[in-house]
């Protein structure tokens, strides 16, 4: 019956000559005990409704007792994030990006939450919740400001190696969609006293395709301050190849799903080869993320990739720990990286 209700509601409505569509989500519970109060039943249904929305909406979910603990965990994180910014519990770590000589050419800024009880939490634990609740807007602005100030500080200290060219910052879809996004980025640059020349904004492939015209307009405005733009997780979303020539993109970032065990998978080799060749024809840089062993690095080099990021070189580090990396500016690896033969 729930599915019948969803199907019925999803039928188009004709209003003033326009076809309108509506979808609903439903949370369902049953009376498990005669001791269950009306309020408890409503809470259970509301919990199930929350899970239905998280699962993609236009769906129905039956309540199960274990859902309560899961929802409470989400609400705890949501409440905690409000305090995290106020109490300076958020921190940026930076993962080095290197060239084919294993010298540092940039870093990617990655957020961590120094939780007072749970220790250091990675972004996968709390950023999806921040995106869903809208908290990502405040947190995202903080990330941009903090990363710009950190680059300015490194520059002032004179610790950056000659090969260094960028600080990459992840931008969420909700953040990018805001009318004030460009103004906020420009304000962060101004406050830090830097141009956008060495700041790179990472946006996802699907984000661009949601509003191509709007994306083109914003990217052109960002370019006025010399900002670099990269497409993160390239190749994992809907094809954006036909839009690349219109977008002010500088870098394509090969997703780690294509890099893992690349030397053993001819299909992934073909995809990576196509991405690299496309980038070369369009005069774009390419960087591969998630590089974890020398076989993967060898395969990427054989395909013509010259920029890399991953645990093979370094994990994300606090800002102060990067100074020693900048000074040495070299990651010595066993050079098994020129012998792998690939069929593409």
């Amino acid at each position: 019956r729930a599915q019948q209700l969803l199907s019925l509601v999803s039928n188009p409505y004709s209003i003033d000559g326009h076809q309108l569509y509506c979808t609903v989500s439903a949370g369902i519970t049953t009376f498990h005990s005669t001791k269950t109060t009306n309020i408890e039943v409503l809470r259970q249904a509301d919990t199930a409704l929350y899970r239905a929305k998280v699962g993609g909406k236009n769906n129905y979910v039956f309540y199960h007792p274990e859902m309560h603990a899961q929802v409470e965990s989400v609400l705890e994180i949501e409440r905690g994030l409000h305090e995290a910014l106020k109490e300076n519990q958020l921190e940026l770590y930076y993962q080095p990006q290197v060239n084919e000589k294993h010298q540092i050419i940039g870093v990617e800024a990655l957020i961590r939450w120094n939780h007072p009880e749970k220790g250091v939490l990675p972004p996968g634990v709390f950023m999806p919740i921040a995106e869903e609740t809208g908290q990502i807007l405040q947190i995202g602005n903080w990330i941009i400001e903090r990363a710009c100030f950190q680059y300015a500080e490194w520059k002032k200290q004179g610790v950056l190696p000659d090969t260094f060219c960028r600080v990459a910052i992840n931008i969420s879809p909700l953040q990018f969609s805001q009318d004030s996004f460009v103004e906020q980025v420009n304000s962060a640059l101004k406050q830090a006293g830097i141009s956008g020349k060495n700041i790179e904004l990472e946006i996802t492939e699907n984000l661009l395709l949601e509003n191509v015209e709007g994306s083109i307009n914003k990217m052109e405005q960002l370019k006025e301050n010399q900002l670099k733009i990269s497409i993160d997780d390239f190749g994992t979303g809907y094809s954006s190849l036909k839009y690349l020539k219109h977008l002010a993109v500088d870098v394509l970032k090969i997703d780690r799903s294509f890099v893992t065990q690349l030397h053993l998978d001819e299909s992934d080799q073909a995809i990576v080869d196509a991405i690299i060749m496309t980038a070369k024809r369009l005069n774009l840089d390419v960087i591969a993320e998630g590089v974890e062993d020398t076989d993967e690095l060898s395969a990427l080099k054989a395909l013509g990739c010259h920029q890399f990021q991953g645990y093979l070189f370094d994990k994300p580090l606090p800002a102060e720990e990067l100074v020693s990396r900048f000074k040495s500016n070299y990651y010595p690896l066993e050079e098994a990286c020129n012998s792998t033969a690939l069929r593409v």
Side-chain angles (χ1 to χ4, degrees), residues 37-169:
T37 66
N38 294 340
I39 295 298
E40 288 173 335
V41 170
L42 289 173
R43 286 175 178 169
Q44 291 173 5
D46 190 54
T47 298
L49 176 61
Y50 176 85
R51 288 298 300 274
K53 291 179 178 179
V54 170
K57 302 182 180 181
N58 193 30
N59 189 19
Y60 67 90
V61 170
F62 280 90
Y63 174 81
H64 295 288
E66 60 267 23
M67 287 181 182
H68 181 73
Q70 295 171 351
V71 171
E72 280 299 314
S73 177
V74 170
L75 292 175
E76 181 183 359
I77 290 175
E78 181 182 349
R79 289 191 296 266
L81 283 173
H82 285 290
E83 298 299 320
L85 276 169
K86 296 178 183 178
E87 302 298 329
N88 296 317
Q89 295 172 4
L90 300 180
E91 181 181 1
L92 288 187
Y93 280 40
Y94 300 87
Q95 187 171 34
Q97 300 172 336
V98 304
N99 59 20
E100 57 187 352
K101 295 181 180 179
H102 309 166
Q103 299 168 314
I104 298 176
I105 57 172
V107 294
E108 179 181 0
L110 299 164
I111 193 170
R112 297 291 186 269
W113 180 3
N114 294 311
H115 196 282
E117 298 173 1
K118 300 179 180 180
V120 180
L121 299 180
V125 174
F126 59 91
M127 289 299 273
I129 296 172
E131 182 84 30
E132 182 182 336
T133 60
Q135 291 172 298
I136 190 66
L137 296 177
Q138 187 177 6
I139 293 173
N141 290 338
W142 177 86
I143 291 173
I144 294 174
E145 292 173 3
R146 183 63 250 165
C148 288
F149 272 112
Q150 185 59 69
Y151 172 74
E153 185 65 20
W154 282 331
K155 188 176 180 181
K156 181 180 178 181
Q157 293 170 354
V159 298
L160 293 171
D162 293 338
T163 53
F164 193 94
C165 61
R166 63 172 173 249
V167 174
I169 306 170

Side-chain angles (χ1 to χ4, degrees), residues 182-194:
V182 174
E183 181 182 346
Q184 289 167 344
V185 172
N186 291 339
S187 175
L189 294 173
K190 185 176 181 180
Q191 290 179 42
I194 60 174

